[in-house]
Amino acid sequence: SSTTLNADEDNINVVVRVRPISEKERSCGERTLLEFPGKGQVVCHNTTPSQKAKVFSYNVVFEPEATQEDILEYSGVKRLLEMAVEGFSCTAFCYGQTGSGKTHTLTGPPGLVESGASPFAPGHGLVVRSFVHLFRLISERPESHFILKASFLEIYNEKVIDLLNPGSARKPLQVRWSKESRGFYVENLFTVDCETLDDLFAVLEEGMRNRAVGAHAMNAHSSRSHTLLCVRVRRDLREDAGVVCSTHGKINFVDLAGSEMTKRTHSTGKTLEEANNINRSLMVLGYCIAQLSDGKKRGHIPYRDSKLTKLLADSLAGNGVTLMIACIAPTRSNLSETINTLRYAARAKKI
Ligand code: ADP
Ligand code: MG
């Protein structure tokens, strides 16, 4: 069962989600190598008796039985949503090898969102559940006026593609630095004003559909790209004497490329370039987070080294909260990738 998040004020939280064994794995006679001895712990048993089991600790560990609703309730994402409403920049991202459950965790089973199902249909992932919660938070603040704007992009091979404007696949968008807002932004990115839950849901649906089409056209599997859905939350609060005070928060939901791409060193040509680019952004992201979570050495943080980290810089830096959801498979055939993910996640935050 899931344990509640440490009620600490850390700006980086790391949780692990273990997916269930699939039917196919079960029919191959695969068994789980993982054990969950207590709060926030995973024990990973090795395949040979001579090797010692490894123990890892995180804020929360979600066992295979955890539901989509458990992730909303206990991952700490609700705190991110509250902070976005209060004017902070926040990011929730899923990291892990292809097939470990990243997309399931964020958006649910394949095709559910694109099928036009209601936002209240069962099975939806963290993004849709967060949208519902966000509107709940807004309705609890009738004294404020809110303006929500959503965008949805994909980073493939260090190229930014607008998932709400499929034409951008031919002409990738540029990431620029804004002097006025002192932050990175994507030039000409399509943003949608969202007044209702259905508006937000429609953005997700449209982007997921375009992603599937685009991936097919480019002959690229979705496991090689990162997607970033961003909801900007502007809050106008009328104070005494009619003065309006505004805050500008946001929340990013990021479905990262498969982490196995980080060590495809035998590939050649195009795939090598892809692997290097994916490698780079995942390594830079891990490095930035490790630097930030180690409070003592806030030295140079290399946000500029990848498109992804540029776009997440404000939420990784002081003014925001980041939630990492490390996704893992429980079986032996995935052992080495599982260990890599558990290590990456452990480096992101020392518990
Ligand atoms: P990734 O996005 O990391 O490549 P997916 O989310 O596509 O992985 O998951 C791989 C497969 O496992 C999919 O068929 C998905 O529906 C299934 N799956 C993943 N996590 C769960 C879960 N928690 N419960 C049930 N099925 C899951
Ligand atoms: Mg996926």
Side-chain angles (χ1 to χ4, degrees):
S1 68
S2 319
T3 43
T4 43
L5 186 70
N6 294 339
D8 57 24
E9 295 299 306
D10 290 359
N11 67 336
I12 292 171
N13 284 306
V14 178
V15 305
V16 171
R17 188 183 200 185
V18 186
R19 74 155 166 79
I21 297 187
S22 69
E23 279 309 313
K24 193 168 166 230
E25 287 165 338
R26 202 180 294 281
S27 69
C28 295
E30 286 236 51
R31 287 209 316 270
T32 181
L33 282 175
L34 306 176
E35 231 179 88
F36 311 99
K39 190 174 186 290
Q41 286 193 324
V42 187
V43 173
C44 191
H45 292 282
N46 267 303
T47 43
T48 60
S50 60
Q51 288 174 300
K52 275 214 277 186
K54 296 184 176 64
V55 186
F56 298 89
S57 298
Y58 308 95
N59 288 109
V60 184
V61 173
F62 294 97
E63 297 177 28
E65 299 76 28
T67 63
Q68 300 286 56
E69 190 64 17
D70 287 338
I71 311 295
L72 176 77
E73 288 296 326
Y74 305 113
S75 66
V77 76
K78 283 186 166 180
R79 182 168 151 245
L80 271 65
L81 292 160
E82 273 159 34
M83 292 193 67
V85 165
E86 302 296 336
F88 294 89
S89 295
C90 301
T91 294
F93 70 85
C94 283
Y95 180 96
Q97 71 175 123
T98 300
S100 60
K102 298 181 296 298
T103 304
H104 181 91
T105 297
L106 285 172
T107 47
L112 175 62
V113 168
E114 300 95 306
S115 73
S118 139
F120 295 99
H124 277 307
L126 190 62
V127 175
V128 177
R129 285 164 199 275
S130 293
F131 288 170
V132 172
H133 189 68
L134 184 59
F135 273 93
R136 207 177 291 145
L137 293 174
I138 287 174
S139 71
E140 287 166 6
R141 291 162 174 76
E143 74 290 355
S144 298
H145 178 68
F146 287 92
I147 298 171
L148 304 185
K149 287 176 188 288
S151 60
F152 200 2
L153 61 83
E154 179 170 45
I155 303 174
Y156 170 71
N157 212 9
E158 283 299 282
K159 293 188 184 71
V160 177
I161 297 162
D162 191 342
L163 287 175
L164 303 180
N165 174 18
S168 67
R170 270 171 274 116
K171 198 170 178 298
L173 306 179
Q174 298 301 311
V175 175
R176 303 208 186 276
W177 171 259
S178 158
K179 251 188 189 159
E180 303 94 79
S181 59
R182 301 187 50 76
F184 293 100
Y185 70 101
V186 180
E187 191 177 50
N188 296 326
L189 183 66
F190 203 73
T191 52
V192 180
D193 289 314
C194 295
E195 288 183 9
T196 64
L197 175 61
D198 281 329
D199 292 344
L200 265 186
F201 189 73
V203 166
L204 177 67
E205 195 181 331
E206 167 81 9
M208 300 262 303
R209 248 191 225 122
N210 285 335
R211 186 190 195 196
V213 173
H216 186 74
M218 289 187 297
N219 196 20
H221 194 270
S222 62
S223 66
R224 293 182 204 155
S225 68
H226 314 294
T227 63
L228 192 167
L229 185 147
C230 176
V231 181
R232 289 174 186 277
V233 184
R234 174 175 158 178
R235 178 183 190 184
D236 295 330
L237 182 64
R238 196 172 295 281
E239 303 198 312
D240 296 340
V243 181
V244 176
C245 159
S246 300
T247 59
H248 300 263
K250 72 172 169 189
I251 182 155
N252 295 311
F253 293 96
V254 182
D255 191 352
L256 291 173
S259 55
E260 72 281 4
M261 295 299 286
T262 57
K263 52 170 181 44
R264 287 241 176 119
T265 45
H266 310 301
S267 345
T268 53
K270 190 160 184 245
T271 323
L272 182 61
E273 188 195 330
E274 276 177 357
N276 283 341
N277 280 330
I278 293 161
N279 186 346
R280 176 147 53 113
S281 46
L282 293 177
M283 294 221 331
V284 175
L285 178 64
Y287 187 73
C288 288
I289 289 176
Q291 286 276 100
L292 288 164
S293 75
D294 188 350
K296 287 182 290 284
K297 49 166 199 183
R298 286 202 174 201
H300 171 70
I301 297 166
Y303 302 116
R304 287 177 176 271
D305 289 1
S306 81
K307 298 260 162 63
L308 180 71
T309 44
K310 280 182 181 175
L311 296 179
L312 300 183
D314 55 349
S315 54
L316 294 172
N319 193 35
V321 181
T322 295
L323 168 65
M324 169 175 176
I325 305 173
C327 297
I328 57 175
T331 48
R332 173 168 304 201
S333 55
N334 295 294
L335 178 67
S336 65
E337 290 300 341
T338 296
I339 299 262
N340 285 341
T341 297
L342 289 171
R343 285 202 180 118
Y344 185 100
R347 264 199 306 277
K349 182 170 185 174
K350 313 254 176 323
I351 301 284

